[in-house]
Amino acid sequence: MVYSSLLYIYGFLPISLLLYYLTPRKCREAMILLLSMLFCGMISLYFLIFISAYTLINYLCIKLILRFRKSDKLSAIPLVFGTVFDLIALFAFRTEYFTWLHRLIRAPESFYPVGISFFVLSAIGTLVDAYKKRLSCECSIMRFSLYIMFFPKLIMGPLLRYGSFSKLFDSRKSSLSGIGIGMTVFVKGLAKKIIIADNLYMLYRSVQSSNFDEISAVTAWLGIISYIFCLYFTLSGVADMGTGIAYCFGIRLPQSFNYPLLSSRIKYFAARWQSQVVQWLRRYITKPLYNSCEKKWLRETIFIFGWSLFGFWYTFNLNGIAFGALMGSFIVIEARLREKKIMELTGVFYTFLVVILCSVFLSGSSLSYSVKYFLIMIGGNGSIADTQAFYLMKSYIVLILLAMYASTDLFRNMMIRSGKKKLKIAVNIASPITTALLLVVCTALISYSGSSEMLLLRL
């Protein structure tokens, strides 16, 4: 069960909200935990058992670290054990080298722990914070279980520190207006996923299924452009759905994506794409390494290494490392050129080109595949455009233009800068009607296709 399934939209979500608001305030945190466990159980009973055991083991490690915090050597033992356990769990399900472990724990053949890339980093971060004496609040089993299992952030984050998550729960405010805002954000994310991402995925698959020895450069460009927009609207759409659901419960989760595509600088794209994961890598990996060196080139190397880890976190293969290393290198090059004021007249165009280039490696099944695809993009097949390119362009140009507009904050900025009250009133009146219509359209599309569970990456 995912956020974009009819069972979730018209079954689990409304029943969850009803149960939550019927529950006395002092018991609502326990109710959210119960609902989160039910959500995990509806994904798979084995998943519920797995994540419950995972949460308990990490919680015990944290409590041991806190108990032995006066002795760095003693507290390091549960820190190392917990971190190794978390990394083994992550590699076991994100790579193909731990099939023996699957058999050992008797995992079903199709079993995959949803959101493992997020809750593993969350657990490791909390272990390190406990060891470094950064936990400013008491770590209870109920709150920590919610931190790992909270269903609105389980699938696509955001990746928060335990202390930040705990503060959000302590400051939650439930209201009817909050439910209205939350449902609007949820439907917005649903529309991103169903209307834009799923249809662009058809274009991407159409290009991928073509004979690579015959496709033209324009077709290859259409394929990779559809990929990056599809990836963005899938990930940000699911993230928006989770944020909207949390808002319905009075919890305001931060955004993971802040209109990164079509940014005016590469560094802005990097700061706005899956921002909490980037911040996690900076806090727990690159920043401690920075402190051990003073030379600029060494810091730049560490920065590129951090981005390589970010790319690896996405794919767990060499293509992800290549994507991250390229992105980190381009950010370093941009910073150096900006110092010399060479790139003053550039912006959105070159940034988008860099994102497309890096996405060639992110989308590829192997490095050789990605290199071959890139060569096709620059005319390696000896064909710039063909009948397939014109057909795909005619069929998807409106959707691509819609995706380009929807990936910017032009409408939001127009509303902020506009001083006309009548325009804002009209938008506020039209918003619920538009939301309802989008929900109807999405429901029809999900009903027609049977489900909407396409995710380009297993995070």
Side-chain angles (χ1 to χ4, degrees):
M1 181 177 67
V2 293
Y3 302 150
S4 55
S5 68
L6 294 179
L7 175 62
Y8 181 87
I9 297 170
Y10 294 104
F12 182 84
L13 181 56
I15 292 173
S16 297
L17 289 173
L18 182 63
L19 289 174
Y20 175 78
Y21 282 98
L22 288 176
T23 302
R25 289 186 179 273
K26 63 180 181 180
C27 301
R28 285 182 177 177
E29 189 168 330
M31 175 54 70
I32 295 178
L33 177 58
L34 180 63
L35 292 171
S36 297
M37 295 179 71
L38 179 61
F39 178 82
C40 294
M42 292 180 72
I43 293 174
S44 163
L45 181 58
Y46 198 91
F47 176 59
L48 175 60
I49 296 171
F50 174 87
I51 198 170
S52 298
Y54 177 89
T55 301
L56 181 60
I57 291 171
N58 273 278
Y59 178 74
L60 291 175
C61 288
I62 291 169
K63 296 303 286 186
L64 286 173
I65 292 172
L66 294 175
R67 183 174 181 179
F68 301 128
R69 61 177 11 177
K70 293 182 179 180
S71 171
D72 290 342
K73 292 182 178 180
L74 284 177
S75 59
I77 296 174
L79 169 67
V80 172
F81 175 83
T83 303
V84 171
F85 170 78
D86 290 336
L87 290 175
I88 289 175
L90 182 60
F91 276 83
F93 292 99
R94 291 296 308 272
T95 67
E96 299 177 354
Y97 305 114
F98 286 82
T99 53
W100 58 270
L101 183 59
H102 295 195
R103 292 192 296 269
L104 182 65
I105 63 175
R106 298 182 180 181
E109 186 175 345
S110 61
F111 171 69
Y112 181 78
V114 177
I116 189 169
S117 298
F118 290 95
F119 63 71
V120 163
L121 294 189
S122 297
I124 292 175
T126 309
L127 287 168
V128 174
D129 284 345
Y131 179 77
K132 295 290 186 178
K133 301 177 178 62
R134 295 174 184 159
L135 283 184
S136 57
C137 53
E138 184 64 28
C139 186
S140 67
I141 183 62
M142 179 180 292
R143 185 61 63 85
F144 184 75
S145 298
L146 268 173
Y147 176 60
I148 299 296
M149 290 190 236
F150 185 47
F151 71 93
K153 79 174 188 70
L154 179 64
I155 296 179
M156 198 53 64
L159 182 61
L160 300 172
R161 295 172 61 197
Y162 177 80
S164 301
F165 177 81
S166 190
K167 289 177 182 178
L168 288 175
F169 252 81
D170 290 337
S171 62
R172 67 184 186 275
K173 296 179 181 179
S174 307
S175 64
L176 289 176
S177 61
I179 295 176
I181 295 172
M183 289 307 300
T184 301
V185 175
F186 174 82
V187 174
K188 173 188 171 185
L190 185 67
K192 280 183 177 182
K193 174 72 175 62
I194 304 301
I195 297 176
I196 301 179
D198 285 2
N199 284 289
L200 283 174
Y201 184 68
M202 295 172 64
L203 170 57
Y204 170 70
R205 291 303 305 164
S206 177
V207 175
Q208 293 297 303
S209 61
S210 302
N211 187 343
F212 268 30
D213 294 327
E214 299 177 359
I215 66 172
S216 65
V218 174
T219 302
W221 276 93
L222 285 173
I224 197 62
I225 288 172
S226 65
Y227 171 83
I228 189 61
F229 277 115
C230 179
L231 180 64
Y232 168 69
F233 283 106
T234 297
L235 301 184
S236 68
V238 176
D240 283 350
M241 283 187 267
T243 301
I245 298 161
Y247 212 110
C248 292
F249 290 96
I251 301 161
R252 301 186 180 185
L253 296 176
Q255 286 184 326
S256 297
F257 298 85
N258 186 21
Y259 302 102
L261 294 180
L262 306 178
S263 296
S264 59
R265 290 287 181 267
I266 304 172
K267 69 174 184 178
Y268 298 153
F269 167 84
R272 296 168 182 172
W273 181 282
Q274 208 84 53
S275 54
Q276 288 84 20
V277 180
V278 175
Q279 291 169 8
W280 189 96
L281 289 169
R282 183 185 298 121
R283 180 179 182 84
Y284 296 105
I285 296 179
T286 58
K287 188 176 179 180
L289 293 174
Y290 280 158
N291 296 333
S292 63
C293 61
E294 296 181 357
K295 294 183 179 180
K296 185 177 181 179
W297 70 269
L298 276 176
R299 291 190 168 218
E300 290 174 343
T301 302
I302 292 170
F303 179 83
I304 294 172
F305 169 72
W307 268 94
S308 299
L309 288 179
F310 178 70
F312 182 70
W313 176 80
Y314 260 95
T315 63
F316 272 70
N317 59 31
L318 290 175
N319 276 56
I321 295 175
F323 162 79
L326 279 172
M327 185 62 69
S329 299
F330 276 119
I331 295 171
V332 169
I333 293 170
E334 180 188 64
R336 290 209 168 190
L337 292 179
R338 287 280 293 170
E339 289 176 1
K340 297 179 180 181
K341 298 183 179 181
I342 295 176
M343 304 174 72
E344 289 297 324
L345 299 178
T346 59
V348 174
F349 181 72
Y350 90 84
T351 301
F352 191 64
L353 282 178
V354 167
V355 172
I356 290 296
L357 172 62
C358 295
S359 299
V360 171
F361 290 89
L362 188 63
S363 65
S365 56
S366 66
L367 289 177
S368 60
Y369 173 95
S370 298
V371 171
K372 183 178 180 180
Y373 194 95
F374 176 73
L375 292 175
I376 295 172
M377 290 172 62
I378 59 176
N381 278 348
S383 174
I384 302 300
D386 55 10
T387 54
Q388 182 188 21
F390 287 113
Y391 172 76
L392 293 175
M393 182 72 75
K394 182 179 68 174
S395 302
Y396 288 96
I397 186 62
V398 174
L399 183 60
I400 291 173
L401 291 175
L402 174 63
M404 292 180 68
Y405 177 76
S407 62
T408 68
D409 57 354
L410 293 176
F411 181 78
R412 185 184 67 174
N413 289 340
M414 181 190 72
M415 291 301 300
I416 293 173
R417 294 171 183 173
S418 175
K420 297 180 180 180
K421 292 184 179 180
K422 291 183 179 179
L423 177 61
K424 294 182 179 180
I425 292 172
V427 170
N428 290 334
I429 294 173
S431 180
I433 300 173
T434 304
T435 301
L437 288 174
L438 284 175
L439 182 59
V440 170
V441 172
C442 291
T443 300
L445 290 173
I446 296 171
S447 301
Y448 176 75
S449 62
S451 64
S452 176
E453 300 181 2
M454 184 280 297
L455 280 177
L456 295 179
L457 296 171
R458 298 174 76 193
L459 297 174

